[in-house]
Amino acid sequence: MIFQIFFPVISQAETVFNPHDLLETRINNLTREDLVRLTQMGIDIDGVWETTARAYMLPDRLKELRSLGYEVTVIPDRIRRDSDLIQAYHSYSELTSELKATETAHPDICRLYNIGNSEQGRELWFMKITDNPDIEEDEPEVKYISTMHGDEPVGTELSLNLIRVLTDEYGTDPRITALVNEIEIWIMPLMNPDGYMSQSRYNAKGRDLNRSFPDQNYDPNNTVADRPIETQHVMNWAFAHSSVLSANFHTGALVVNYPYDSDPDPRANYSATPDEPLFIELSLTYASLNEPMYNGSFDRGIINGAEWYHIRGGMQDWNYIWLGCNEVTIELNDIKWPPYSDIPDLWNDNRESMLTYMEWSLRGVRGVITDSVTGQPLNATVTVVSIAHDVFTDPDAGDYHRLLLPGTYDIRFSADGYQTQTVQEVIVGSGNATQLNVAMVPQVPGDINHSNSADLTDAIVTMKLLTGTDIVFPVHKDADLNNDGKIGLQEAVYVLRKISDPEN
Ligand SMILES: [Zn+2]
């Protein structure tokens, strides 16, 4: 197997970034205050154990930190020294071939998409696995994205294993068949192919993709402008989809890290989302099925992002805040790039976790939101009244999937141009999601005019619905006329019914 090392192509005034200049370091004897300071200096911290942080930096940054009195040790670069280590891993071209072959072998359940090219022109492959893969169905979308840090390749191999299991066992294993039939599964084995090919954490321009997403506290502009190209592709894909549950896979520790990673107070010891109990359950679902993780150095194998160490611009916070999608960050192995012979054991440790976590997308409350007049699916917002965090319908099918712990909830549905509806005391159990479909009634504008208030049988109603539809319709004979001479609500409802079903 040939493993090519690419150096970035530098254009015009771009800063030169050579991944081989980058140093992996340990910064020792740190207090929480030191960590805050290092984060504010923009030091790329990537894991903290008691008073030691792992961090990446260029040589002048190392000098600077040492001159400030920090005790920094440089870790010899094992990956690049030991080429045997990388030999058995899929090369980028082998990964591409395998994904294409899988799609060809399973055309009934697989679609392989290139969602855009990396800085150096490599495709970002995203495999969709579901029944009826060309039809928008009322199904939750789940996504797994791996190896946004190019030197953390375990998740890439596990993603390929997962794709293999989902496709090979479809139709024979009842559980796998149900997963593929009921969920729209998206798996991206390699988000940072350029970094992977140069065994670098960063993309080809030296950007850390997991520090490059919008951040509610420090970079709240939810657009792709000025972000790394790989991040732009993932954001644009996500804007066009409606995932409800996701995970992104890393190595360098053994833990499930749940939002928030970022907090308005850089000194905060913890940063909880409004869905804190749900995130703990989701994380425990994964960790408790992975024995080494559950019994490892983190309590029950899970930790809040900010409690561990703060990051800004992480992908999981962005998913939760802007997409309404529950995402966690899963660290699969303490050693970033273990010998390939460790992969079978790592797959055994994670197989059940990866499947069971995915099944969470079928829990909570789900349904389809439509326009009561036209029956068309709607772009609507779903609010659990007691939890300050909305989710949104997929406007293509109108379906929503609100993950919730068992309990009783009041749920509010709202959409531009429609009357807001609240359904009270919705009971959620621990099994399949409670089904709650809602037909939303268009708001009737206040200024309905009719041409002739004296003779209602000849009157014409002209009405512009707030949904944008213009309606011109003869008033029916039982129209109620308000004191102000305008058509009342009953007549408006009659007109709405008529246009949805003229025979009625
Ligand atoms: Zn990572």
Side-chain angles (χ1 to χ4, degrees):
M1 185 177 311
I2 296 168
F3 209 102
Q4 284 174 287
I5 295 177
F6 284 82
F7 290 91
V9 179
I10 305 305
S11 61
Q12 294 127 10
E14 297 281 350
T15 332
V16 176
F17 169 73
N18 182 340
H20 292 200
D21 291 341
L22 202 68
L23 303 170
E24 181 181 338
T25 69
R26 300 286 180 273
I27 314 175
N28 303 312
N29 300 318
L30 294 174
T31 63
R32 194 87 192 170
E33 280 298 308
D34 290 327
L35 275 175
V36 172
R37 189 173 173 210
L38 291 170
T39 303
Q40 285 171 336
M41 286 171 71
I43 299 292
D44 190 359
I45 293 169
D46 172 48
V48 176
W49 290 265
E50 292 172 6
T51 58
T52 298
R54 179 175 58 219
Y56 293 84
M57 63 194 73
L58 292 166
D60 32 348
R61 222 55 211 293
L62 173 68
K63 257 189 231 157
E64 185 189 347
L65 284 188
R66 282 178 170 159
S67 73
L68 288 169
Y70 287 103
E71 186 195 321
V72 192
T73 326
V74 175
I75 305 298
D77 189 337
R78 179 156 168 261
I79 302 170
R80 266 171 244 130
R81 233 181 0 154
D82 184 357
S83 61
D84 287 352
L85 207 58
I86 58 177
Q87 279 301 305
Y89 281 84
H90 282 76
S91 68
Y92 170 75
S93 62
E94 287 168 339
L95 170 89
T96 300
S97 309
E98 180 164 332
L99 292 172
K100 287 182 173 172
T102 304
E103 184 196 31
T104 306
H106 302 278
D108 50 332
I109 53 165
C110 286
R111 290 292 177 273
L112 181 62
Y113 296 92
N114 167 23
I115 65 160
N117 286 1
S118 69
E119 194 61 50
Q120 295 176 333
R122 298 187 178 90
E123 293 94 342
L124 301 189
W125 297 119
F126 221 155
M127 182 71 99
K128 178 186 191 180
I129 305 177
T130 189
D131 65 334
N132 306 316
D134 299 321
I135 298 171
E136 273 289 343
E137 296 185 289
D138 166 20
E139 289 177 0
E141 293 181 35
V142 174
K143 68 177 183 295
Y144 284 174
I145 294 184
S146 190
T147 315
M148 60 200 300
H149 291 143
D151 60 342
E152 301 174 4
V154 169
T156 302
E157 298 296 329
L158 300 195
S159 297
L160 289 170
N161 283 354
L162 182 63
I163 289 171
R164 232 172 275 145
V165 163
L166 291 171
T167 52
D168 287 350
E169 296 180 17
Y170 180 71
T172 51
D173 180 305
R175 182 197 188 189
I176 298 294
T177 308
L179 276 175
V180 173
N181 285 344
E182 291 171 25
I183 303 174
E184 189 177 308
I185 303 164
W186 288 85
I187 301 173
M188 180 184 284
L190 184 55
M191 179 175 162
N192 182 3
D194 299 346
Y196 178 58
M197 293 307 282
S198 57
Q199 298 101 55
S200 163
R201 172 180 181 79
Y202 301 106
N203 83 342
K205 281 197 168 163
R207 302 281 300 273
D208 184 331
L209 301 185
N210 207 28
R211 308 288 185 276
S212 68
F213 283 83
D215 184 300
Q216 65 171 341
N217 305 309
Y218 303 98
D219 177 15
N221 198 4
N222 189 27
T223 67
V224 302
D226 301 325
R227 305 194 188 281
I229 191 73
E230 296 85 359
T231 300
Q232 294 188 26
H233 294 322
V234 168
M235 286 179 69
N236 285 330
W237 179 91
F239 288 143
H241 289 76
S242 303
S243 35
V244 297
L245 178 66
S246 62
N248 76 86
F249 293 97
H250 296 249
T251 49
L254 189 54
V255 68
V256 177
N257 169 343
Y258 56 90
Y260 294 122
D261 279 325
S262 168
D263 194 274
D265 173 7
R267 284 166 184 76
N269 289 319
Y270 202 101
S271 190
T273 68
D275 279 297
E276 165 83 358
L278 173 66
F279 268 115
I280 289 177
E281 258 337 282
L282 281 169
S283 304
L284 280 175
T285 293
Y286 197 98
S288 63
L289 294 165
N290 182 323
E291 197 269 319
M293 187 183 277
Y294 193 71
N295 297 312
S297 53
F298 292 85
D299 179 30
R300 297 178 299 166
I302 68 171
I303 194 163
N304 170 259
E307 184 184 12
W308 192 16
Y309 60 98
H310 287 230
I311 70 167
R312 299 175 182 181
M315 188 161 70
Q316 69 176 11
D317 286 10
W318 176 72
N319 265 273
Y320 180 72
I321 290 158
W322 276 283
L323 305 178
C325 172
N326 297 86
E327 174 161 309
V328 300
T329 302
I330 299 175
E331 301 278 354
L332 293 164
N333 191 49
D334 285 330
I335 298 169
K336 289 209 168 197
W337 199 310
Y340 192 80
S341 53
D342 289 358
I343 295 292
D345 283 345
L346 285 165
W347 170 239
N348 275 339
D349 293 339
N350 286 281
R351 183 189 191 275
E352 189 58 31
S353 297
M354 289 175 108
L355 294 173
T356 307
Y357 180 81
M358 200 180 275
E359 285 168 340
W360 251 103
S361 67
L362 297 166
R363 295 174 59 171
V365 182
R366 68 187 289 180
V368 176
I369 314 268
T370 50
D371 179 311
S372 66
V373 176
T374 64
Q376 290 301 304
L378 287 185
N379 193 347
T381 300
V382 181
T383 306
V384 175
V385 173
S386 55
I387 304 174
H389 184 254
D390 296 340
V391 302
F392 312 99
T393 57
D394 181 338
D396 296 322
D399 57 322
Y400 71 94
H401 306 265
R402 205 326 175 172
L403 276 54
L404 286 169
L405 291 174
T408 303
Y409 302 91
D410 293 348
I411 304 181
R412 189 166 63 231
F413 299 88
S414 53
D416 281 349
Y418 295 84
Q419 296 173 31
T420 296
Q421 288 187 36
T422 303
V423 181
Q424 287 180 332
E425 301 194 353
V426 179
I427 296 170
V428 173
S430 59
N432 279 344
T434 301
Q435 185 84 31
L436 181 57
N437 299 333
V438 175
M440 298 196 66
V441 179
Q443 272 174 0
V444 178
D447 55 343
I448 301 167
N449 299 310
H450 56 86
S451 60
N452 184 343
S453 61
D455 182 359
L456 277 179
T457 53
D458 293 335
I460 299 293
V461 175
T462 58
M463 186 157 73
K464 189 175 193 61
L465 293 184
L466 298 182
T467 51
T469 317
D470 273 312
I471 297 173
V472 179
F473 204 85
V475 174
H476 93 292
K477 58 181 169 43
D478 299 324
D480 62 324
L481 190 64
N482 291 339
N483 290 338
D484 62 0
K486 291 185 174 178
I487 295 296
L489 182 63
Q490 250 188 318
E491 178 62 16
V493 169
Y494 168 80
V495 172
L496 293 171
R497 282 215 193 94
K498 270 289 179 193
I499 51 165
S500 64
D501 181 9
E503 299 303 310
N504 183 356

